Amino acid sequence: MKVLIVSTSTLFIEALQIAIRDRRSTWQVDTYQIQTPIFDQTLMKKIKEQCLDIVVVEATNQHFTMTIDSLKKLKCPEIDIMLLVDSRMGEVYHHLKDEERWTSVTKNTSLDEFLILLESFGCNIPDLPDVSLREVDKKILKELAVGHSFEFIQRTQELSAEEIDQSLYRINTYFKVPNYIESIVKAFEQKIITN
């Protein structure tokens, strides 16, 4: 697999590159550092020349809108793009819902789960293995459905950020959707959660 990691942070891209190479030694993992969250034609040229499978872009909270708009202007419909975001998944989803080959993942996702997502990512809805929902997943779904934040859920349910991320991964995999907002809709439709 050929992966390109894009970020404004040299430390971040180098650390992620080393971590991926350590776990997937056969992958070709390259990096591209940008100065601002605005992407230029140099990046597009690099993407096309390398025949990449997926581009991983770190999108920070304060710049994610600019990053997404800039990526859309590059006109690269044949490339799968995965955005790594800190939070504000609802806003990110709003920007990505019409993009067939884009998805977003929180940066607290474990490395193993992140690699599985990379391997299985194909268009906006990855073809992931079947999983079942646990009771904790249903509780988190209910909390998210009434509008509680991840921080609130973490505090009230006495869960770690990693446990919440693992739960979100199971939830989205179970419903075969790219984000928890669509999972909530499907959970109501399937009567897994009710008002």
Side-chain angles (χ1 to χ4, degrees):
M1 179 181 280
K2 292 183 178 179
V3 179
L4 177 66
I5 304 167
V6 180
S7 174
T8 55
S9 168
T10 305
L11 182 62
F12 175 80
I13 57 179
E14 288 177 358
L16 186 56
Q17 181 184 38
I18 290 167
I20 293 173
R21 283 183 176 166
D22 183 52
R23 300 282 177 97
R24 301 291 190 274
S25 58
T26 59
W27 289 14
Q28 180 183 332
V29 183
D30 205 356
T31 63
Y32 185 84
Q33 183 184 8
I34 52 174
Q35 299 304 312
T36 65
I38 298 173
F39 298 90
D40 56 20
Q41 292 305 316
T42 309
L43 174 60
M44 190 63 211
K45 184 178 177 190
K46 185 174 183 79
I47 290 170
K48 287 183 177 177
E49 285 175 355
Q50 293 188 349
C51 300
L52 298 165
D53 294 309
I54 192 163
V55 177
V56 177
V57 180
E58 180 197 20
T60 58
N61 282 340
Q62 68 263 32
H63 300 299
F64 80 86
T65 303
M66 209 181 330
T67 300
I68 292 169
D69 290 342
S70 179
L71 277 168
K72 285 179 181 178
K73 289 177 186 167
L74 280 181
K75 307 267 189 254
C76 48
E78 68 280 0
I79 300 296
D80 291 331
I81 297 176
M82 180 176 285
L83 292 171
L84 285 173
V85 296
D86 289 328
S87 62
R88 297 165 67 173
M89 288 295 279
E91 289 178 67
V92 174
Y93 167 71
H94 174 72
H95 289 279
L96 300 184
K97 64 183 177 191
D98 297 324
E99 301 296 330
E100 292 180 1
R101 300 187 71 150
W102 294 32
T103 194
S104 59
V105 176
T106 62
K107 285 167 77 174
N108 337 358
T109 301
S110 73
L111 181 60
D112 290 332
E113 288 174 341
F114 178 67
L115 292 172
I116 290 168
L117 289 170
L118 281 176
E119 289 170 327
S120 61
F121 183 57
C123 299
N124 213 6
I125 301 173
D127 182 23
L128 299 171
D130 288 335
V131 297
S132 58
L133 290 180
R134 299 178 184 172
E135 282 306 311
V136 68
D137 303 335
K138 293 175 186 176
K139 285 180 185 176
I140 289 173
L141 266 172
K142 286 178 188 176
E143 295 285 345
L144 290 170
V146 296
H148 289 146
S149 69
F150 292 114
E151 293 81 11
F152 177 85
I153 296 168
Q154 187 176 347
R155 194 174 60 251
T156 60
Q157 299 294 321
E158 297 180 358
L159 298 168
S160 69
E162 186 177 345
E163 288 172 317
I164 292 175
D165 277 342
Q166 290 170 352
S167 181
L168 288 174
Y169 173 77
R170 283 191 303 274
I171 290 166
N172 294 339
T173 302
Y174 178 83
F175 290 109
K176 295 182 173 59
V177 295
N179 58 68
Y180 75 87
I181 295 171
E182 289 185 41
S183 291
I184 291 169
V185 171
K186 291 207 177 247
F188 277 117
E189 287 172 357
Q190 296 176 20
K191 306 222 184 305
I192 290 171
I193 57 174
T194 57
N195 294 355

